[in-house]
Amino acid sequence: MTMTVKKMNFKTETRQILDLVVHSLYSHKEIFLRELISNASDAIDKAHFLSLTDKEILDDKNPWKIKIKPDKEAGTLTICDNGIGMTKEDAIRELGTIAHSGTKEFLAAMRSKEVKENPELIGQFGVGFYSSFMVADKVTVISKKAGAKDTKGIKWESTADDSFTVEDVDKEEKGTEIILHLKEDEKKYLEEWEIRSVVKKYSDFIEHPIVMDIEREEEGKIDKSKKVKVKKEETLNARKAIWLKNKSDITESEYNEFYKHLSHDFSDPAKIVHYKAEGASEFTTLFYIPSIRPLDIFYKEYKIGLTLYAKRVKIIEYCEALIQPYLRFVKGVVDSSDLPLNVSREMLQNNREVEKIKNSITKKVLDTLGDMKKNEYDKYLKFYHEFGRVLKEGVHFDFSRRESIGELLLFPSTKTDKDSFRSIQDYIDGMKEGQEDIYYITGSSRDEVLKSPYLEAFNDKDYEVLIMLDDVDDIIMGQFEFKGKKFKSVIKGDITLDDSKKDEKEKAQKKYGKILKFIKERLEDDLKEVRLSGRLKDSPCCLVAEEGEMDPQMEKLLKSMGQNIPERKRILEINPSHPLFEAMNVIFEKDKKSEVLKNYADLLYDQALLLEGSKPKDCAAFAKAISKLMVENAQQN
Ligand code: ADP
Ligand code: MG
């Protein structure tokens, strides 16, 4: 049989990733070993899992293990496993492409300062394998798929340029060998102590043994005075199922190391939660609330879930069914005594046992956050800064817990100092006599929002307004009802703060009815309605949307994402107590078709656009009109 070597090009994104790994990641290079061990361990988990139902895959002669083989003469470091292995197609797909749809954002994040300074973050992106090229100029992968008895193995090889090769090779046992041809100045990874310390640091918790042949001098058996060299396989990792130990036997640093192993994060977690549930359902869980947001938490590819074990056997690495999506920052493990070992991902979706565990964990996370907010407020603020935007999604998606989640939310307001916040309860406690609703304003920064004309009447009446700066706020909070109180956007709908002013408003309506109609007719193409405003105090006018309509923040976001938003007409509100309208009215009474008035109407609309942070309809025409007014004014003086 002739063996053919097939040369293939990497996909563009893969090449870019490789380029980054080779040329810009310089610190913490040792994490390549963690990534390769983690892949080997995953491969063993998969094989182990299959072997529960397929006896062919079980091989009693070769217990599951990961073996590290340094070869000083060849200058290679090999990581072997007897896990699931890869077919040729697997290797081409898994090692040649990147399963990321948001590649552009992903590359941008990869190029960010954060990743450059902390390359250990790259494990989060599911490109761990490529980290081998930080230390190797050539990588050879030899693999054979478990269960594929009579077929050949495959060899994959690349020097991290544009291409890789694949070919058939003979391989007896199932599993994978990753052979790193180390770069000249990375040969230290062939030293026993270096390998030991990296394994200890990053992979101590891997359940499968990570072994290495260690050569020691021993006394000769016959002649004790003669030293002989013997090789012995030693296990380098402690292999503890830390979650099954007693809390009192685990140190904080052990807890933290396990977190780092699970999360690929490099900072300590904000909170550790470890408990055993007994009774209706029996399980143990150890989970963590991180202190730093992973870079990809808003990407579709972000892997949600806790690792699920059934009686100490790892069943599923990222089990989404165990965690609410709005708590997706939580990392950890669940070990259940009630689940069967052969449970599949699909079966878990509607499994009652899993549902119980999820409920218990959801409650515990929310309680933990509640305690943190009450007792460690500064720490909670930090957490909220990182994950508040994610947590908030729960108000929308977890109906039955929306109030408990609402208790955890914080907002700046028109009455808070910079960097301080209000909870919704604080807000309610400070509501004024006669105030029914919780008012909020959306925008892109606190400073900008505080200058908004939409707040004038609220400030005048000393009503507090919550400031919402996340793009999802309007959609989520606009529908929220907290303790019977509705949330109302100050930039949408009709606002009447003061019923006692009703008469005044009616009078003004009579007085200005005609001029409102005149403005409406002039601006028909742009506006749906022109009406008197209940929210303005000093500014002459503003633009508002109907209550149920989309928030301008959201509209901007969707537009920036390339979505087609149908143009819709808005409402121009004018301030009846502004002297401008009295003046306009006088002109109107004299000449119902006045050209000057038409110009004024156009200028009003442009001002309203400016006041909400948009551009005038026609900037050049606007500037011209203003100059004309200035000249006229100067001539009068
Ligand atoms: P991730 O582990 O997040 O999927 P990696 O870049 O580390 O990303 O690995 C890419 C893929 O290559 C893995 O998902 C797996 O399919 C395959 N792979 C890597 N190493 C092994 C191995 N030792 N045995 C079997 N498959 C492997
Ligand atoms: Mg990996």
Side-chain angles (χ1 to χ4, degrees):
M1 189 176 136
T2 54
M3 298 210 185
T4 49
V5 181
K6 198 166 154 194
K7 189 170 166 200
M8 297 180 76
N9 283 330
F10 283 116
K11 287 266 159 59
T12 320
E13 319 83 79
T14 314
R15 235 171 36 224
Q16 287 168 324
I17 298 287
L18 274 172
D19 198 57
L20 273 165
V21 170
V22 176
H23 297 294
S24 36
L25 304 183
Y26 292 114
S27 61
H28 300 277
K29 287 188 176 186
E30 75 276 8
I31 60 112
F32 80 89
L33 192 55
R34 173 185 78 182
E35 295 301 324
L36 295 181
I37 288 173
S38 149
N39 286 350
S41 170
D42 289 349
I44 291 175
D45 287 335
K46 284 179 196 156
H48 182 189
F49 187 60
L50 283 184
S51 75
L52 297 173
T53 48
D54 184 351
K55 291 280 167 295
E56 290 275 292
I57 287 177
L58 201 59
D59 179 356
D60 295 331
K61 286 199 301 291
N62 288 308
W64 307 114
K65 73 178 170 197
I66 300 162
K67 186 154 187 167
I68 303 182
K69 298 181 189 164
D71 181 338
K72 285 191 178 161
E73 262 151 54
T76 58
L77 182 66
T78 302
I79 291 93
C80 300
D81 67 67
N82 51 0
I84 192 78
M86 283 178 275
T87 62
K88 194 185 274 182
E89 291 70 37
D90 290 342
I92 292 172
R93 188 182 59 245
E94 302 293 342
L95 308 179
T97 52
I98 290 169
H100 256 276
S101 57
T103 315
K104 239 168 77 190
E105 293 106 323
F106 167 66
L107 270 167
M110 283 280 299
R111 288 199 181 102
S112 71
K113 208 167 143 262
E114 267 169 289
V115 171
K116 276 194 185 156
E117 281 168 12
N118 303 291
E120 53 268 58
L121 288 172
I122 81 168
Q124 288 179 8
F125 290 103
V127 293
F129 171 74
Y130 300 111
S131 65
S132 354
F133 289 103
M134 292 200 289
V135 294
D137 37 31
K138 181 162 99 182
V139 177
T140 310
V141 179
I142 295 174
S143 192
K144 181 166 168 175
K145 188 89 166 188
K149 248 190 166 170
D150 304 321
T151 59
K152 292 209 157 255
I154 59 109
K155 176 170 152 188
W156 178 103
E157 197 164 73
S158 176
T159 52
D161 48 17
D162 292 354
S163 63
F164 60 89
T165 58
V166 274
E167 64 192 283
D168 293 331
V169 290
D170 290 321
K171 184 176 189 319
E172 289 241 328
E173 311 286 348
K174 68 174 185 309
T176 304
E177 284 174 34
I178 312 270
I179 305 161
L180 307 178
H181 307 263
L182 293 178
K183 292 179 184 172
E184 212 39 64
D185 44 0
E186 305 295 346
K187 293 272 159 68
K188 62 170 180 291
Y189 295 111
L190 298 172
E191 302 296 339
E192 179 194 329
W193 64 268
E194 184 73 33
I195 296 171
R196 271 183 192 280
S197 85
V198 179
V199 169
K200 200 82 199 149
K201 183 161 175 203
Y202 294 109
S203 311
D204 209 33
F205 298 99
I206 296 279
E207 306 141 79
H208 309 294
I210 303 166
V211 304
M212 185 161 68
D213 286 336
I214 308 285
E215 209 175 57
R216 292 271 182 270
E217 287 198 334
E218 273 183 12
E219 295 173 344
K221 280 213 173 94
I222 301 159
D223 182 353
K224 290 201 173 179
S225 64
K226 260 199 186 144
K227 299 273 184 217
V228 287
K229 282 190 175 170
V230 279
K231 259 190 193 171
K232 266 196 189 150
E233 197 175 270
E234 258 186 53
T235 300
L236 310 181
N237 57 331
R239 308 177 58 199
K240 316 170 256 203
I242 171 175
W243 61 93
L244 296 177
K245 294 188 4 182
N246 278 329
K247 272 177 155 178
S248 52
D249 297 335
I250 310 171
T251 64
E252 181 161 336
S253 89
E254 279 180 294
Y255 270 131
N256 289 351
E257 282 308 318
F258 184 61
Y259 164 74
K260 290 174 191 175
H261 156 71
L262 274 179
S263 64
H264 299 265
D265 189 0
F266 62 98
S267 43
D268 289 338
K271 276 278 166 221
I272 302 165
V273 181
H274 184 184
Y275 69 95
K276 189 168 174 170
E278 270 156 352
S281 106
E282 268 189 29
F283 68 92
T284 299
T285 179
L286 166 57
F287 66 78
Y288 299 85
I289 298 175
S291 52
I292 292 185
R293 180 177 58 219
L295 293 165
D296 56 349
I297 197 157
F298 294 115
Y299 296 166
K300 226 175 52 229
E301 286 76 17
Y302 179 76
K303 288 184 180 152
I304 300 181
L306 305 180
T307 307
L308 177 64
Y309 290 77
K311 303 175 191 80
R312 283 204 62 180
V313 177
K314 194 196 245 181
I315 305 286
I316 292 177
E317 170 107 54
Y318 293 95
C319 181
E320 302 102 330
L322 287 173
I323 198 94
Q324 296 278 1
Y326 66 91
L327 301 177
R328 61 185 177 276
F329 45 83
V330 174
K331 306 273 178 188
V333 300
V334 169
D335 198 332
S336 159
S337 330
D338 302 327
L339 284 171
L341 286 179
N342 60 353
V343 67
S344 71
R345 205 174 264 275
E346 290 68 39
M347 282 162 67
L348 289 176
Q349 284 311 327
N350 297 307
N351 183 293
R352 283 201 24 232
E353 204 48 53
V354 171
E355 199 59 30
K356 277 189 219 154
I357 300 175
K358 177 166 146 184
N359 282 333
S360 164
I361 290 177
T362 307
K363 182 167 183 316
K364 197 73 175 189
V365 176
L366 296 179
D367 289 350
T368 304
L369 292 174
D371 286 347
M372 201 162 137
K373 177 161 168 274
K374 204 163 131 210
N375 305 318
E376 299 171 282
Y377 187 71
D378 286 343
K379 193 167 181 176
Y380 184 74
L381 269 188
K382 269 197 202 130
F383 158 81
Y384 195 76
H385 179 72
E386 298 287 317
F387 297 109
R389 159 82 166 68
V390 183
L391 181 66
K392 220 179 263 175
E393 294 168 13
V395 170
H396 189 73
F397 290 108
D398 194 355
F399 196 84
S400 63
R401 295 191 187 85
R402 62 207 313 236
E403 291 222 345
S404 333
I405 300 164
E407 305 267 8
L408 295 171
L409 302 185
L410 293 174
F411 300 97
S413 89
T414 48
K415 291 192 177 179
T416 55
D417 299 331
K418 200 171 186 307
D419 298 323
S420 67
F421 301 88
R422 283 275 189 276
S423 68
I424 304 174
Q425 191 58 53
D426 295 337
Y427 181 95
I428 292 177
D429 294 343
M431 274 164 78
K432 290 279 179 284
E433 181 94 23
Q435 182 184 348
E436 305 260 313
D437 301 317
I438 297 173
Y439 291 108
Y440 68 92
I441 182 163
T442 51
S444 52
S445 81
R446 178 177 172 273
D447 290 345
E448 184 191 299
V449 162
L450 285 175
K451 286 183 227 144
S452 166
Y454 299 91
L455 293 172
E456 287 169 2
F458 295 89
N459 291 341
D460 187 51
K461 280 192 74 79
D462 199 28
Y463 279 14
E464 182 169 21
V465 176
L466 296 176
I467 298 176
M468 305 209 174
L469 302 173
D470 280 335
D471 44 27
V472 291
D473 277 333
D474 191 63
I475 292 187
I476 291 177
M477 305 308 293
Q479 329 233 332
F480 191 27
E481 218 179 286
F482 185 82
K483 302 198 173 159
K485 299 250 179 295
K486 290 204 173 72
F487 280 74
K488 209 163 159 28
S489 166
V490 307
I491 66 175
K492 290 197 287 187
D494 201 4
I495 299 259
T496 314
L497 290 185
D498 205 341
D499 279 342
S500 64
K501 294 225 173 106
K502 249 188 175 157
D503 286 353
E504 250 174 68
K505 204 172 172 184
E506 264 167 38
K507 253 192 243 157
Q509 184 67 40
K510 267 200 195 117
K511 183 169 171 194
Y512 293 122
K514 283 187 192 143
I515 189 121
L516 291 178
K517 196 160 164 259
F518 174 89
I519 301 173
K520 166 77 202 301
E521 278 165 13
R522 172 71 188 171
L523 299 170
E524 195 115 57
D525 293 346
D526 303 297
L527 296 175
K528 177 153 63 186
E529 193 188 333
V530 180
R531 69 181 179 209
L532 295 180
S533 184
R535 69 188 96 213
L536 295 175
K537 187 83 178 105
D538 305 314
S539 302
C541 57
C542 66
L543 281 168
V544 298
E546 213 91 77
E547 193 122 7
E549 279 182 355
M550 196 186 291
D551 180 72
Q553 279 303 107
M554 196 63 206
E555 200 175 297
K556 262 189 228 158
L557 177 79
L558 292 177
K559 274 188 182 156
S560 76
M561 283 162 41
Q563 295 224 16
N564 240 335
I565 310 290
E567 287 300 327
R568 56 194 167 74
K569 295 182 178 178
R570 285 189 289 163
I571 300 162
L572 181 71
E573 285 196 352
I574 65 169
N575 176 0
S577 49
H578 197 284
L580 178 60
F581 297 99
E582 181 65 52
M584 283 176 78
N585 215 25
V586 171
I587 307 178
F588 184 72
E589 292 300 332
K590 274 194 227 147
D591 175 6
K592 304 231 165 356
K593 295 208 166 84
S594 160
E595 281 305 311
V596 175
L597 264 194
K598 285 181 192 164
N599 288 339
Y600 275 29
D602 294 348
L603 276 174
L604 268 182
Y605 181 51
D606 282 339
Q607 282 188 59
L609 285 168
L610 281 170
L611 282 170
E612 67 161 13
S614 309
K615 270 191 186 168
K617 238 179 100 178
D618 177 345
C619 291
F622 176 74
K624 212 164 142 189
I626 294 280
S627 312
K628 190 162 164 259
L629 285 177
M630 287 166 82
V631 171
E632 283 167 9
N633 190 47
Q635 285 165 348
Q636 275 173 23
N637 285 325

